[in-house]
Amino acid sequence: MSARILVVAEHDGTRLNPSTAKCVSCAGTLAGAEIVVAVCAADAAAVAAQAAQLAGVSRVLTVENPANRHALAAVLAPQVVALAAPFSHVLGPSTTFGKDLMARVAGLLDAPQVSDIMAIESAQRFRRPIYAGNAILTVELAGGGKVVGTVRAASFEAAATGGSAPIEKVALHLELPTHTRFVSVSAAKTDRPDLQTARRVISGGRALGSADGFKILYSLADKIGAAVGASRAAVDAGYAPNEMQVGQTGKIIAPELYVAVGISGAIQHLTGIKDARTIVAINKDGEAPIFEVADFGLVGDLFQIIPEIEKLVG
Amino acid sequence: MKRILVGIKRVVDYNVRIRVKPDGSGVAIDGVKMSINPFDEIALEEALRIRERGGADEVLAASVGPADCQQQLRTALAMGADRALHVQADGVLEPLVVARALLKLVEREQPLLVILGKQAIDDDNGQTGQLLAALWNRPQATYASKLELADGSARVTREVDAGLETLEVDLPAVVTTDLRLNEPRYVKLPDIMKAKKKPLDTLGLEALGVSPRQQLRLVRFEPPPQRQKGIRVKDAAELVAALKKKGLL
């Protein structure tokens, strides 16, 4: 029996999050699988149209409800569960959205969850990192039931576009919980590329010294079209906001170019960048562990080097 | 009685560099330092602060696992928990089993709030809080960086990919902690002595009515692929030239 995979779309109401295309591509590694994308939204049309274009998707299901205006796991989970019945696998991205939601779905389904899937070996076998990526574990579903998974986006290329899957409206008659209410979201407005999908990322550590110190990174990033990230130490110190944190407990990224500036390279940080194609380390301490994983290392004063690089690329 | 239940997991200490056993059967943890999962320490600290502000009367620390978990529960008591519950269970414990055990404790203890770490740093599953909230049919607020209790509800600021999101949840609820919620206190020696006299009760997993079923077989552990060590460049000019040559700039 071939696998039937339901992928739960992440979106902001208008735009499909790129993590969904990665989930579709993860699902597509399972030969012969039927891939269906679920879009739960207040108004699903725009997002569903984007999901329908993803290569490999056979259908898009939309569930429209004003309660879906903000993505609340407690509200979304019963809807996903209602859609999940005919599927063998229910996947979502390993983003804060997916991690929050999918485990609630697993709880309601009484199904096991495989977190941070980095490879699907068969319909029952998955590989995932544990211990901050210091070990890779292969797990196998013991019974024949449903499995829930979150997909480690950095392990997969985004599915191509160009498809035209049919979109089906599903009417669910569920009493959704009202015990969880959205109040607000605050996100810094930025014109820079999204950290999780950017081709180039420049990250700063505590050595930047202050929020002001980060300005030299923003300036260089804008010149080369890069996103800016930060180490946990820099975020803890208040030099950068939490959404910029890269690492085990922050964002796991896989850009083509990663430039670590004044970051010593704690294991928890390295786990967030080990899929980067090329890593550059700039640090005044030549013994810093970041140099162990860097393709190009430069020892020196970052406050001199960064402006110099900016001049050279300009 | 306004009670807060905090989950405590015994894990390999944050600073230990783990090794995969050569036969791929697991991770070598014999003789390595074990600690409270750092996110659980933050959960406990938050519960203690709420109690100290008068928002709760009792902080209960609970752990599901082998007998050794009692060491971490003693540490939790030394930090300031009022009492501890140990659910004795050996072997592989999947998050769903732990969540079911916690649900049993929740039914017995009727807490106003359950605070858990957002993930354990060993298996990095990040599921237990959401599973418990689902089984309990109560709100969840994961990745909390700020928690304010009001009468019957809580306002929780969450660290999400987009930035900071604030939710209002009715109580009781499950909250899971992120790193910046607080900085846990250090345990003082007299508190370690005092903790020895605090109540620590043990219950059996199956006596609670929870089956230790394992739905995912652990097939193989492997070390991750290593990155090749690269080259040192002497200055910014050499670096930029090298990156341009690779088509990266």
Side-chain angles (χ1 to χ4, degrees), chain A residues 99-100 104 110 115 127-128 131-132 136 138 140 142 179 181 183-184 186 236 245 251 274 276 297, chain B residues 122-125 127 138 140 142 161 164 166 168 170 180 213 215 217 219-220 222 227 231 233:
Chain A
K99 292 190 282 192
D100 184 41
R104 189 162 181 119
D110 192 24
S115 299
R127 284 157 58 80
R128 58 176 303 261
Y131 285 96
I136 309 298
T138 303
E140 188 173 66
H179 53 47
R181 296 169 292 276
V183 177
S184 63
S186 69
D236 282 354
Q245 186 175 322
K251 288 179 174 140
K274 57 175 61 169
Chain B
D122 50 5
D123 57 28
D124 283 332
N125 274 317
Q127 301 174 17
R138 293 304 308 166
Q140 69 190 44
T142 51
D161 290 338
L164 294 172
T166 304
E168 189 181 66
D170 291 341
R180 283 168 282 274
R213 84 185 148 146
Q215 299 188 86
R217 203 165 62 78
V219 178
R220 188 173 62 241
E222 291 161 273
R227 283 187 82 99
I231 57 164
V233 291

Side-chain angles (χ1 to χ4, degrees), chain A residues 72-73 95-96 99-100 103-104 107-108 110-113 115-116 125 127-128 130-142 179-181 183-187 196 200 232 235-236 242-243 245 248-249 251 267-268 274 276-280 286 291-299 308-309 312-313, chain B residues 12 14 17-18 20 27 29 39 96 100 118 121-125 127 130-131 133-135 137-140 142-143 155 158-170 179-180 213-222 224 227 229-237 239-240 242-244 246 248-249:
Chain A
L72 300 172
T95 54
T96 52
K99 292 190 282 192
D100 184 41
R104 189 162 181 119
L108 296 179
D110 192 24
Q113 174 175 310
S115 299
D116 304 319
R125 252 189 203 225
R127 284 157 58 80
R128 58 176 303 261
I130 56 172
Y131 285 96
N134 285 305
I136 309 298
L137 173 61
T138 303
V139 294
E140 188 173 66
L141 204 55
H179 53 47
T180 305
R181 296 169 292 276
V183 177
S184 63
V185 67
S186 69
Q196 269 161 315
R200 298 168 179 152
R232 177 191 167 186
V235 177
D236 282 354
N242 68 282
E243 63 267 25
Q245 186 175 322
Q248 181 189 17
T249 63
K251 288 179 174 140
I267 198 93
Q268 291 80 8
K274 57 175 61 169
R277 204 78 55 81
T278 298
I279 297 176
V280 173
F291 288 114
E292 295 297 314
V293 300
D295 300 283
F296 298 103
L298 176 52
V299 179
E308 261 177 64
I309 294 175
L312 287 161
V313 296
Chain B
V12 172
Y14 186 76
R17 226 188 164 121
I18 60 103
V20 174
V27 166
I29 57 167
F39 292 101
L96 201 45
R100 289 205 174 282
K118 74 165 179 177
I121 60 164
D122 50 5
D123 57 28
D124 283 332
N125 274 317
Q127 301 174 17
Q130 298 92 306
L131 290 171
L135 299 173
N137 197 19
R138 293 304 308 166
Q140 69 190 44
T142 51
Y143 324 133
R155 218 164 234 254
R158 311 174 56 226
E159 294 202 358
V160 295
D161 290 338
L164 294 172
E165 180 189 77
T166 304
L167 296 183
E168 189 181 66
V169 294
D170 291 341
L179 290 168
R180 283 168 282 274
R213 84 185 148 146
Q214 192 182 344
Q215 299 188 86
L216 291 169
R217 203 165 62 78
L218 310 183
V219 178
R220 188 173 62 241
F221 293 76
E222 291 161 273
R227 283 187 82 99
K229 196 172 169 173
I231 57 164
R232 293 282 170 106
V233 291
K234 64 176 193 307
D235 56 24
L239 177 63
V240 170
L243 295 177
K244 279 186 173 162
K246 287 191 81 176
L248 291 164
L249 281 179

Side-chain angles (χ1 to χ4, degrees), chain A residues 229-308:
Chain A
S231 70
R232 177 191 167 186
V235 177
D236 282 354
Y239 305 167
N242 68 282
E243 63 267 25
M244 278 170 53
Q245 186 175 322
V246 172
Q248 181 189 17
T249 63
K251 288 179 174 140
I252 312 276
I253 58 174
E256 283 170 28
L257 174 64
Y258 185 78
V259 186
V261 182
I263 291 177
S264 65
I267 198 93
Q268 291 80 8
H269 185 76
L270 300 183
T271 197
I273 63 167
K274 57 175 61 169
D275 291 299
R277 204 78 55 81
T278 298
I279 297 176
V280 173
I282 299 169
N283 204 299
K284 68 175 190 308
D285 173 13
E287 302 297 313
I290 189 78
F291 288 114
E292 295 297 314
V293 300
D295 300 283
F296 298 103
L298 176 52
V299 179
D301 177 5
L302 67 94
F303 291 103
Q304 263 173 20
I305 292 168
I306 298 300
E308 261 177 64

Side-chain angles (χ1 to χ4, degrees), chain B:
Chain B
M1 173 81 83
K2 286 195 285 183
R3 183 175 288 141
I4 301 177
L5 176 71
V6 174
I8 300 289
K9 186 175 182 185
R10 171 184 167 91
V11 298
V12 172
D13 187 82
Y14 186 76
N15 289 308
V16 173
R17 226 188 164 121
I18 60 103
R19 233 170 14 83
V20 174
K21 289 181 188 167
D23 66 359
S25 65
V27 166
I29 57 167
D30 288 345
V32 308
K33 188 182 175 202
M34 303 296 283
S35 299
I36 296 180
N37 178 43
F39 292 101
D40 300 349
E41 224 174 357
I42 294 170
L44 176 56
E45 176 65 34
E46 195 64 19
L48 297 174
R49 289 185 190 188
I50 292 169
R51 188 193 63 194
E52 285 159 4
R53 285 198 300 264
D57 309 309
E58 187 184 57
V59 173
L60 175 59
S63 189
V64 184
D68 292 339
C69 294
Q70 294 192 8
Q71 293 168 19
Q72 279 62 46
L73 285 175
R74 285 288 169 207
T75 306
L77 292 168
M79 268 180 76
D82 298 290
R83 65 193 171 92
L85 280 175
H86 171 220
V87 179
Q88 164 75 39
D90 294 302
V92 176
L93 287 173
E94 290 183 356
L96 201 45
V97 171
V98 175
R100 289 205 174 282
L102 292 175
L103 179 66
K104 294 288 181 189
L105 300 185
V106 160
E107 286 165 356
R108 288 164 66 120
E109 302 286 347
Q110 300 287 321
L112 140 108
L113 189 63
V114 177
I115 315 181
L116 305 178
K118 74 165 179 177
Q119 74 193 79
I121 60 164
D122 50 5
D123 57 28
D124 283 332
N125 274 317
Q127 301 174 17
T128 306
Q130 298 92 306
L131 290 171
L132 173 62
L135 299 173
W136 191 15
N137 197 19
R138 293 304 308 166
Q140 69 190 44
T142 51
Y143 324 133
S145 66
K146 193 174 174 198
L147 171 54
E148 296 162 291
L149 286 191
D151 203 22
S153 69
R155 218 164 234 254
V156 184
T157 302
R158 311 174 56 226
E159 294 202 358
V160 295
D161 290 338
L164 294 172
E165 180 189 77
T166 304
L167 296 183
E168 189 181 66
V169 294
D170 291 341
L171 297 178
V174 178
V175 171
T176 76
T177 60
D178 217 315
L179 290 168
R180 283 168 282 274
L181 182 59
N182 61 50
E183 215 169 298
R185 66 196 62 190
Y186 287 101
V187 172
K188 295 185 215 75
L189 192 60
D191 295 328
I192 296 174
M193 302 310 289
K194 260 193 270 174
K196 289 182 179 163
K197 294 197 190 104
K198 289 186 179 175
L200 190 165
D201 293 324
T202 298
L203 305 153
L205 183 68
E206 289 180 72
L208 276 178
V210 178
S211 139
R213 84 185 148 146
Q214 192 182 344
Q215 299 188 86
L216 291 169
R217 203 165 62 78
L218 310 183
V219 178
R220 188 173 62 241
F221 293 76
E222 291 161 273
Q226 293 301 314
R227 283 187 82 99
Q228 290 294 316
K229 196 172 169 173
I231 57 164
R232 293 282 170 106
V233 291
K234 64 176 193 307
D235 56 24
E238 194 186 337
L239 177 63
V240 170
L243 295 177
K244 279 186 173 162
K245 200 173 153 206
K246 287 191 81 176
L248 291 164
L249 281 179

